[in-house]
């Protein structure tokens, strides 16, 4: 058994029980973004969170233990993702990548926007011409230092 | 001559003249995000915008014409970007890709967040533990339809 | 269990029962193009459509539930498809890709032809020199906007 | 000198003179689809067509000769195209590839839709919800034969 | 079950029964080249041919049905084949590819040699300096047409 | 200067002078297949052959010397060739590769068909349903030996 | 069942029984290099050799039959091997590849060193500064011929 | 200027002057294997060796200085080499890689054969059935150590 | 069974029993770095170490035997690792690779830092601005030699 | 002009003037590790540092300006580096990657070792059995946080 199998079991249980990510997040006491990433095998559960998951998804002791082990992260089956929704994000990085780089450096100097000290919020933005997906990403700026 | 060469000339002129993207955007009358992407060869200029660029970067007639031609988009030299700042964005897609997919589908059903009817805003977020980069992405939701 | 396994089961049931895609489409009340794509794991079924599929392919409750979950799309096992029929389509994109780009931009300006707000129709075109495959693709034009 | 350089010169001349593909096609006496593909280095010119091109784009004798040589075809700089408009076509092949394969085989049996005995027509389709790109592809069906 | 599994079963039965491809071809009433390709999962059987295969390889009803379904073709596990015998053919394409292209175009003009309307014959060519493999490939020439 | 540049010069001279491969072969006193491969940078010229080439293509002393140096072989710009004519040959290897392997092994045992002690003949095969390209490949069988 | 599974069984039996390749080779009556390659699925056994292997590794009739079938060769799981010992050999080809090419051509003219009519001998070379691995490779020179 | 350009100049000078690697090696006072690798940009020259090279190839001061700088090694233009002679070496690693690994480990335990503390000798081996290339590789065994 | 399966069993046993790498290392009498690498399938156990592992992880005789066989090394599932922690190391090689090369060559001349005669030490470095990971790598310098 | 060209000019100047990285670092007032990385195009210079570089390497005004622009980082020409010295570092990540991951997580929990808030020190370690390269890497631990 490994984490991948626990993830598959969680997804299957979610489908079978008709659960929603927002409800799962409420039970876990975290944002829906973190909770979903955690259930999909990208984040590490505390013992308390793992106990909630055990109950939600009918996990065994061993499966519950795996949730508390740091996983090997990365959720894409290929370097360039085939799924259209995920590809659009890859395309944003491809088309706007150098733009993002230029503007962050202009504001902050050399360094990066952290993907670790990071949070994400996804919401519906009502719009008469068709609702929009609004995503807010917040990552700590980490400067390169001389030494 | 092609658009790539015009982009190189614009970057060189920006370095030589010590211009800033925010100032260039002001002159173009557009957001700094769109303006930077356009100058980096990812967007198409109107005649008026191209005339502003001509003046800003001392472009020739032919170079100014190229700015009004739709470019072959995509700014990354490799499928997985090597630059640490841009890689962090690739990593966000890798680690959070399936999460983003799940949450958009839960809210909107099957479809995608457009990368065309799309805008982006990058800003500094003051934080006592270290300032953060805050990026807001807004893309129209486009549903898959049966037929 | 995941969607891939349901797709395999549908294909096996289709072979075993000697069904045809056109007949399946009639039962689903949709075009043969959408219906085939849906059965092959690329589209999401409504509850009603899933119930029809359950009956057609002798699916279990869990399998029927999976049909209503948005799938991870993309049906090719490699970036460049090996199968000769599918490769010819890849070749059309390779040989005519820049042509399509130029002509759409000439007619509509900068933007794309949507692959989401999209439909396809495949038909036999009688021809004394040998019948032809006639495919009509219709995708909404989505313009890039300045902001 | 090779064909690639002639293509670059043609594109540059088209930009400099403000020509349109539809006008070029009229001068060549062919469809805009074939004419654009030919000018972009994918098709072979007859002597008469090459003479028209020479005049349109101010080509030299050697450049005019190159247009009549069969080119090494394929217009994409990478296996998976980065440009959003062209990528959407790659995505159609990825998402609908197996569907197209099933439906052509159901109608015609084992074989392929030719990409050589092939024509394409791209047109605007007026639509109150937003105009659409309508593309008609016509390729001869070629059956696999036993021997 | 899918075609790949039927192919594996056929190969295993051939090994277990000590059959030869030439004998199998005789039973199928086709050339050894087509028959081997068909048994290796690259061609589609008619009902009659499938019935012969059922008997030869002790196939089940379902397996026999799969033989009559058009397969996803392509028999190589990697883009550049590792097996030395198959690699030599890849090398011929690599070393002589542009030569073949030039000579076919010189004789026929722009177009291709069909790999669909195609047959192949492999035979031993006695030679005092060591016997040779003689392969005759015959493919219909398909011209590119203007339109 | 390297061999690639000499190849480019030869191709350009052939275009400029309107030469044909068959005529060039006659001058070289070799088959059109070997002669074309040699001119395209895949084979090594003897001094006498190089002197003929010098005259045919107006080469310099240094260029003539390069023709007598063994070249780094391989004429394809990518692992999977994009050009439709050459791709069809790649497809033959892909679809028929395991078939060729089986049939050569059945006839000869373990070993390969040489791509070095090898010759090729390309000819037009008249056919009322459309002329065909007929290619004969002859390669010495080289057995694996135990030791 | 296929050859890969027989290889796995042979390796497992070798580990379980504590056999050594040199002892296996002695039983097979061949060099340790050929014998190891054969057991690892790269060479074809005669009936007699297969019978020895059956006894050594407790193989079934079917497994013994598979040893006499020509295998799909190539023992590396990736194009660039990850294992440090095997990588060093890849590195030798990478660093010395052009050197080997130059020196063989200087001595023999255009052609190759055969990897089929080939043998290899691996031995310990005592050295006071640390023992060395001494490998002798012997391959027939095969000249390219004009035709 | 970089080392690659010096290598090109050395090759061009060797062609122009009709030098042989064995003669160059004699002048350098090293083996023909090391000397060729060094001239091809894979090894570092001492001042004395660089002075010999300067004279042999008419190098400038700057070019002579580059020969004494440690180069970025690796002489192949692609991960899998296309040239048939070099490919045969890649094939030896592919077919015999696991064999070499097993036999070195059986003799020496865990560790590698060094590609740094390494030498190579290439020679003609007369053989009535056709002369052979005989290559002796000698690399120090380096054991993995526990710590 | 192969080593990969033993590794999976060890990881599962470690999770189930709640063991820590430092404790395992103490039992093995080796550093935590070597011990972890060995348990993860990268190093070879002695008989004594394997007996300790058998007890710690409840291994069978066959599993214990596999630990003493030299493994096929390399622990990453893709050439560019997706996991963020491991990617940062890849990034260090990417960003600092040429720097490391220059500085080692400046100090030692041409050669490498061994990854075989090598040890590693990972420790916590207390820091008021946030604790740091301190890693010490020690590898023997191996010089390239002329011959 | 871009940063790559400035890097090439710096390297060429360093070779021509016989400078050493340690001396350059002293002039820049930074460590030799940071200074080398900066000169190789991986770090951003302050105005003062750029002025030192201008003098050291005889740079023009424009070249000096480029040093103060944040570069596109990543110094390797291929995903798996070919140069033996740099490859050994890639190999360390490959062989020890999962080990490093396990040990950092055991000590710190889920998170990463920063490659941005990072420093490196490379030194000679005298050893009677052969001097060693000792590298100390220090990176801030960045924890993943729930939100």
């Amino acid at each position: 058994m490994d984490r991948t199998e626990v993830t598959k079991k969680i997804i299957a249980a979610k489908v079978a029980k008709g659960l929603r990510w927002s409800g799962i997040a409420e039970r876990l006491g975290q944002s829906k973004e973190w909770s979903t990433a955690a259930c999909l095998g990208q984040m590490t559960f505390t013992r308390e969170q793992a106990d909630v998951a055990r109950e939600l998804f009918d996990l065994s002791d061993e499966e519950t233990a795996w949730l508390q082990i740091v996983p090997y992260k990365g959720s894409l089956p290929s370097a360039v993702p085939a799924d259209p929704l995920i590809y659009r994000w890859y395309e944003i990085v491809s088309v706007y990548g150098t733009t993002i780089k230029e503007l962050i450096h202009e504001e902050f100097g050399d360094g990066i926007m952290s993907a670790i000290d990071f949070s994400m919020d996804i919401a519906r933005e009502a719009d008469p011409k068709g609702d929009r997906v609004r995503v807010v990403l917040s990552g700590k700026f980490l400067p390169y230092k001389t030494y």
Side-chain angles (χ1 to χ4, degrees), chain A:
Chain A
M1 175 178 291
D2 59 18
R3 180 70 181 266
T4 308
E5 293 171 44
V6 185
T7 298
K8 281 186 185 163
K9 183 158 177 192
I10 286 177
I11 294 174
K14 175 177 175 293
V15 170
K17 298 188 163 192
L19 301 174
R20 291 174 59 83
W21 294 116
S22 53
I24 293 164
E26 211 169 322
R27 291 290 301 277
L28 285 167
Q30 301 292 338
S31 67
K32 67 182 184 305
E33 288 75 16
W34 185 91
S35 302
T36 305
C39 289
L40 294 177
Q42 303 298 318
M43 300 289 157
T44 310
F45 287 70
T46 61
R47 175 185 289 267
E48 292 67 31
Q49 292 164 340
D51 284 342
V52 174
R54 185 213 308 254
E55 210 178 317
L56 276 168
F57 306 116
D58 300 329
L59 304 180
S60 69
D61 277 9
E62 194 184 353
E63 289 160 347
T64 309
W66 271 106
L67 293 180
Q68 304 170 55
I69 305 297
V70 181
Y72 190 96
K73 300 182 179 72
S75 69
L76 302 179
S78 57
V80 178
D83 181 79
L85 185 144
I86 301 180
Y87 183 82
R88 295 307 178 276
W89 277 72
Y90 180 80
E91 186 174 297
I92 291 169
V93 179
S94 169
V95 170
Y96 282 98
T98 48
T99 295
I100 295 167
K101 179 174 172 67
E102 288 290 328
L103 292 174
I104 293 179
H105 292 327
E106 179 161 304
E107 177 66 29
F108 292 91
D110 198 354
I112 63 157
M113 168 181 164
S114 181
I116 308 295
D117 190 336
F118 172 83
S119 66
M120 167 185 274
D121 182 71
I122 300 176
R124 177 186 288 266
E125 186 177 33
D127 189 305
K129 283 177 291 187
D131 284 4
R132 302 176 74 81
V133 186
R134 184 177 186 271
V135 183
V136 182
L137 309 174
S138 168
K140 190 178 180 183
F141 178 74
L142 304 178
Y144 269 98
K145 292 169 183 164
T146 55
Y147 56 94

